[in-house]
Amino acid sequence: MIKHIVATTYLWFAIASLSPIYGQQQIDHTLGNLWQQVEENYPGIGVKRNIAHAAQLKAMAIKTSSLPQLKTQVQNTFGTYEGNAGAFFPQPGFFNVSGNSTAQENSRLAANSFASATIEWELFTFGRIKNENEAAQMLFQKKVSEQEAYILNLKKVLSERYITLLYHNAKLDLSKKNTERLDDIRKISSSLALSGLKPAADSLLASSSYMQAIGEYDHWMGNKHSSYIKLKELYGRENLTYTSSIHRFSNPKEKYHLLADQGISNTHPVLVTLEKQAQYYIHTGEAQKKAAMPSLKLLGGYGYRGTGVSTTEKTSNAWQDGFKNSTNNLLVGIGLTWNITSLYTNRFRGESLLKEAEGTKLLQTQYQQAMQADLSASQTKSIWKYKQIQKSQIAVKQAQDAYIMYLARYKSGLITLSELLQIRNLLEQAENNHIEASLSYWILLAHESELAADFDYLFNNL
């Protein structure tokens, strides 16, 4: 029983000691995890969202223009009341007064009050308002598609920067391996030279190759830090771990569905943007043509007026008397407005916009054909690029085995230093070719993902 209690106690202590270790482990950031952070925090996406929202609000504002326009006015003034016969047009800068010059001049000024309300409702516009609303909706949908296209391109930029970071990391690891190999060769050649088995020149040559490798290591260290800074601009955080992605970069899985002929979808954001742009031109052009037709409106109005001038021709400038001697008037009617000159000008404006729509549709077809050709060519290239990666992996393994054998022969004095360095160069070339092939393969997949508007494979496998 005591042994059981002691064992349980040790078990709990072990669990307690391991818990902080697991709690301090950093999350391994895959490309998909990075995108989640970018999508939530990158300000460029917020800019596009606000632009789309602004277009939506503008469409809502245009839609309300079909509602009855209700206006009201209330005023209280002091002024003279002298009248004058004759007709006039109420142009800006004029105000109307009414009175009788024979009125008793109890006061040269009279208080007045006035309130009015008018309503104007376009009953029939030959479809102009409908086309304006449709054009506003197309403009909003275009902005949404532009936002989606921007996000798609941002995914590609993130992928390319992440791939570049992994590439520079792989080149740095390769440079480190070469430095360690040359350091071993330098130590071996120095030992053989001291023992008199090899000339002193071998030690100098090995040391020179080693120093060059150190310089190359510094070069790739700088590139790695540079690519990390550019990736952090999108990611926005300091800590970034990518251990699992390092292995997947050099050992990619074959994308089997590339063997099938994958086409460009009509719902691709770039194509949808052009389609909505064409629809916007069409509806705007039709609205321009309809604007040349007459507009039938329902008119209504109500007016209240009070004055300090009474019917007995007595005047008062007291403020409260401005609400006396009131009159109320009501106006209802139908009005027809027609700018006949616009029949000529609006027709040309409408035809111009319709021609813009035709050009945009042709541009959409051109884009779709070019994107399809680009996708097919990229898919074909990536299939053969993956075959190259498979063969380069075999070549690297064989070159590594051969180098180990030749290094043993050099230690035994069976080959010269120049022969060993040549073998090491062949091994470095094989490893470098494998890294370059991996880089080209992943860059091709990033390009294809943008064309196909599908980054699921790339986010789940890198």
Side-chain angles (χ1 to χ4, degrees), residues 128 131-132 135 278-292 346-357:
R128 174 180 57 83
N131 280 284
E132 288 177 351
Q279 292 295 324
Y280 170 76
Y281 284 139
I282 290 174
H283 290 295
T284 305
E286 291 295 333
Q288 285 288 335
K289 288 184 175 182
K290 301 299 183 182
N346 283 17
R347 179 171 63 88
F348 289 112
R349 291 174 181 172
E351 290 295 335
S352 174
L353 289 168
L354 292 178
K355 287 297 181 181
E356 292 280 359

Side-chain angles (χ1 to χ4, degrees), residues 221-347:
M221 179 64 77
N223 285 344
K224 178 184 176 181
H225 285 300
S226 174
S227 57
Y228 178 80
I229 292 172
K230 296 190 70 173
L231 179 62
K232 191 174 66 174
E233 186 267 328
L234 297 175
Y235 178 58
R237 296 186 180 182
E238 293 293 335
N239 297 327
L240 179 64
T241 56
Y242 44 91
T243 306
S244 60
S245 297
I246 292 174
H247 175 75
R248 290 194 291 264
F249 173 80
S250 300
N251 300 273
K253 295 181 180 179
E254 186 175 11
K255 193 176 180 183
Y256 293 102
H257 73 268
L258 284 177
L259 300 175
D261 187 13
Q262 185 178 8
I264 298 295
S265 173
N266 292 328
T267 59
H268 193 283
V270 173
L271 300 179
V272 173
T273 298
L274 292 173
E275 179 186 356
K276 299 304 179 183
Q277 180 70 32
Q279 292 295 324
Y280 170 76
Y281 284 139
I282 290 174
H283 290 295
T284 305
E286 291 295 333
Q288 285 288 335
K289 288 184 175 182
K290 301 299 183 182
M293 305 303 292
S295 176
L296 183 65
K297 299 180 180 180
L298 174 65
L299 305 174
Y302 170 79
Y304 162 84
R305 183 180 180 186
T307 179
V309 182
S310 68
T311 57
T312 60
E313 299 181 349
K314 291 183 179 181
T315 61
S316 172
N317 60 2
W319 177 79
Q320 64 272 16
D321 291 336
F323 297 95
K324 296 180 179 180
N325 308 310
S326 62
T327 58
N328 298 273
N329 292 284
L330 184 66
L331 175 69
V332 178
I334 295 178
L336 184 67
T337 304
W338 194 359
N339 185 351
I340 299 177
T341 306
S342 64
L343 283 171
Y344 185 76
T345 58
N346 283 17
R347 179 171 63 88

Side-chain angles (χ1 to χ4, degrees), residues 392-411:
S392 65
Q393 284 179 323
I394 298 174
V396 168
K397 181 64 170 61
Q398 292 175 343
Q400 289 173 345
D401 294 341
Y403 174 76
I404 294 174
M405 296 178 184
Y406 277 101
L407 181 61
R409 297 186 67 183
Y410 175 72
K411 292 178 180 179

Side-chain angles (χ1 to χ4, degrees), residues 41-60:
N41 303 315
Y42 193 63
I45 298 179
V47 172
K48 292 297 181 179
R49 286 173 179 168
N50 286 332
I51 291 175
H53 191 203
Q56 183 183 22
L57 295 175
K58 184 178 180 180
M60 295 173 64

Side-chain angles (χ1 to χ4, degrees), residues 147-208:
Q147 173 189 332
E148 294 175 354
Y150 173 80
I151 291 176
L152 200 62
N153 180 256
L154 189 61
K155 288 181 179 180
K156 180 185 177 183
V157 172
L158 174 67
S159 301
E160 289 178 343
R161 293 187 184 183
Y162 191 64
I163 292 169
T164 302
L165 175 62
L166 295 177
Y167 166 70
H168 288 158
N169 186 85
K171 294 288 285 186
L172 183 64
D173 287 344
L174 175 59
S175 180
K176 182 179 179 181
K177 290 178 183 178
N178 289 329
T179 303
E180 292 173 350
R181 291 169 188 155
L182 288 170
D183 189 31
D184 291 339
I185 294 174
R186 180 180 64 88
K187 293 176 180 178
I188 295 172
S189 61
S190 178
S191 177
L192 293 175
L194 289 175
S195 62
L197 298 177
K198 293 290 182 180
D202 281 8
S203 178
L204 293 175
L205 181 59
S207 179
S208 174

